[in-house]
Amino acid sequence: MAAAPARCPDCPGPEPGGGGGTPAVPHLGIAVDEGDVLPGALRIVRRLRPAWEPATVKTKLFTDGITNKLVACYTAEGMGDALLVRVYGRKTELLVDRETELRNFQVLRAHGCAPDLYCAFQNGLCYQFLPGIALGPHHVRDPHICRLVAREMARVHAIHANGSLPRPILWQKLHKYLGLVKTELSPKVSDPSLPQDVPSPAALEQELAWMEETLPQLGSPVVLCHNDLLCKNIIYDSTRERVRFIDYEYTGYNYQAFDIGNHFNEFAGVKEVDYGLYPSKETQLQWLHSYLQAYKELTQGHPGDSQVSPEELEMLYVQVNKFSLASHFLWACWGLIQD
């Protein structure tokens, strides 16, 4: 099942204009104050929508983002014409390569897997609002929504790599994060106030070395991954019966099984974590069957006629649950850095 990803046949081709077949994105010389986003967001809207009467512009501040601030600006009822202004959190450049994020956003948009991107500004992006609801832990266990998420992930994974054989970003990212952790954590290891269940930097290095030696041997293919598919990054549009993924800060080529295992970990929630919600094997196999069927249709060109063997299903199940360990490790380091 480790077929190389091809162009997704159901997605539109790349749009003309930008480098690498992606459209050019306007860059505005505006910086938005992270502590008071509305004035800066409205400045951006005036540049992008000069015909809008300022007095008629409504705003809605979203609070679900963990590291960024997000505000919608709109005039129409139902927010049908809304622009989203996303302001990067302070020092998030330590964790996120913003140029790569912008490039990946454009690639996903060119293949119909992301909203329209209106502009970049000094510390953020402005893009199209996607109607629907951001999922919660109870939604992702719904069998119907599960199938939609699995098939949408297959669409992203099927985007081609322009003939090149991409390297997974996992190890580079883990080494970078662990380096940041060691810088901050090493002087504190002997500090009695440090929680005793935080491993030492040396123990974390051993864990990483074990994963780096063990996980690549599982044979999971490298595909374009979202890499951060927590519930709130999935928008469900019930009128079109479709889900879309948002927030591409961590998007990049990575192991297929990592992206799926990371999503399964997110079933447990974020603020109130309950690992009893991690999907059972039966639930996983149903999800993985929908995913594999869609992925094979997209990469092998047999719509509606892609059979999934029990052996393929079991192999992916094993890969996913082992790569979920790397997901735990990555976000544990991320949490230490955030702290």
Side-chain angles (χ1 to χ4, degrees):
M1 74 131 300
R7 173 187 294 285
C8 165
D10 292 339
C11 298
E15 300 172 35
T22 55
V25 177
H27 285 254
L28 304 183
I30 295 174
V32 178
D33 182 354
E34 184 193 359
D36 185 17
V37 299
L38 288 182
L42 290 171
R43 281 183 64 202
I44 290 167
V45 168
R46 283 196 293 273
R47 294 279 294 274
L48 296 174
R49 297 289 185 269
W52 283 7
E53 180 61 42
T56 67
V57 178
K58 304 178 183 70
T59 60
K60 180 178 180 180
L61 191 63
F62 294 90
T63 56
D64 287 330
I66 298 173
T67 55
N68 304 298
K69 298 291 178 65
L70 189 67
V71 61
C73 301
Y74 60 100
T75 63
E77 291 297 324
M79 299 176 62
D81 60 353
L83 310 179
L84 285 179
V85 177
R86 180 157 64 94
V87 182
Y88 303 145
R90 186 174 61 89
K91 291 193 175 181
T92 52
E93 68 278 1
L94 292 173
L95 298 163
V96 179
D97 183 331
R98 295 301 179 185
E99 288 187 11
T100 299
E101 177 192 6
L102 182 60
R103 198 160 53 241
N104 287 326
F105 199 132
Q106 292 174 277
V107 169
L108 289 165
R109 173 67 199 111
H111 289 85
C113 295
D116 291 338
L117 180 58
Y118 299 130
C119 78
F121 52 95
Q122 287 185 15
N123 60 329
L125 298 173
C126 180
Y127 50 90
Q128 177 190 15
F129 172 76
L130 294 178
I133 59 166
L135 299 188
H138 59 290
H139 293 114
V140 290
R141 297 195 301 276
D142 178 276
H144 174 61
I145 294 179
C146 263
R147 285 191 293 273
L148 294 177
V149 174
R151 295 188 70 83
E152 185 68 11
M153 188 181 287
R155 290 184 75 214
V156 173
H157 288 182
I159 294 174
H160 63 92
N162 293 323
S164 62
L165 191 62
R167 294 168 59 88
I169 64 170
L170 179 61
W171 309 119
Q172 174 192 356
K173 188 78 73 176
L174 285 175
H175 280 288
K176 178 181 178 180
Y177 283 13
L178 185 54
L180 289 168
V181 168
K182 286 166 63 181
T183 302
E184 296 300 322
L185 194 60
S186 293
K188 303 176 185 176
V189 170
S190 58
D191 184 346
S193 68
L194 192 71
Q196 296 305 299
D197 56 351
V198 177
S200 68
L204 292 173
E205 282 190 316
Q206 289 178 347
E207 290 275 351
L208 177 51
W210 177 85
M211 287 190 297
E212 201 165 2
E213 180 181 356
T214 306
L215 295 181
Q217 298 178 29
L218 297 172
S220 181
V222 176
V223 297
L224 184 61
C225 293
H226 185 282
N227 291 318
D228 186 25
L229 210 56
L230 49 84
C231 298
K232 295 299 183 184
N233 282 344
I234 306 171
I235 305 298
Y236 172 51
D237 183 351
S238 59
T239 61
R240 294 178 175 83
E241 282 305 321
R242 183 178 177 188
V243 299
R244 305 286 291 276
F245 302 157
I246 59 171
D247 289 0
Y248 316 113
E249 293 180 302
Y250 302 96
T251 296
Y253 283 91
N254 207 353
Y255 297 101
Q256 175 191 57
F258 175 89
D259 213 15
I260 302 171
N262 182 75
H263 175 58
F264 286 170
N265 284 341
E266 299 292 359
F267 276 49
V270 176
K271 292 181 180 175
E272 297 179 7
V273 177
D274 178 5
Y275 285 111
L277 299 177
Y278 187 81
S280 65
K281 181 171 184 178
E282 179 184 7
T283 299
Q284 288 190 52
L285 291 178
Q286 291 171 351
W287 196 104
L288 294 171
H289 189 278
S290 295
Y291 169 86
L292 273 177
Q293 196 168 46
Y295 184 75
K296 292 177 77 173
E297 288 173 5
L298 294 166
T299 57
Q300 298 175 13
H302 302 295
D305 188 34
S306 295
Q307 299 300 313
V308 177
S309 71
E311 293 77 19
E312 288 176 302
L313 201 55
E314 183 67 22
M315 182 173 73
L316 184 56
Y317 169 77
V318 171
Q319 291 171 335
V320 162
N321 284 275
K322 290 190 174 182
F323 267 96
S324 72
L325 303 176
S327 162
H328 282 306
F329 189 96
L330 183 142
W331 296 117
C333 288
W334 181 93
L336 288 169
I337 295 165
Q338 290 283 345
D339 185 63

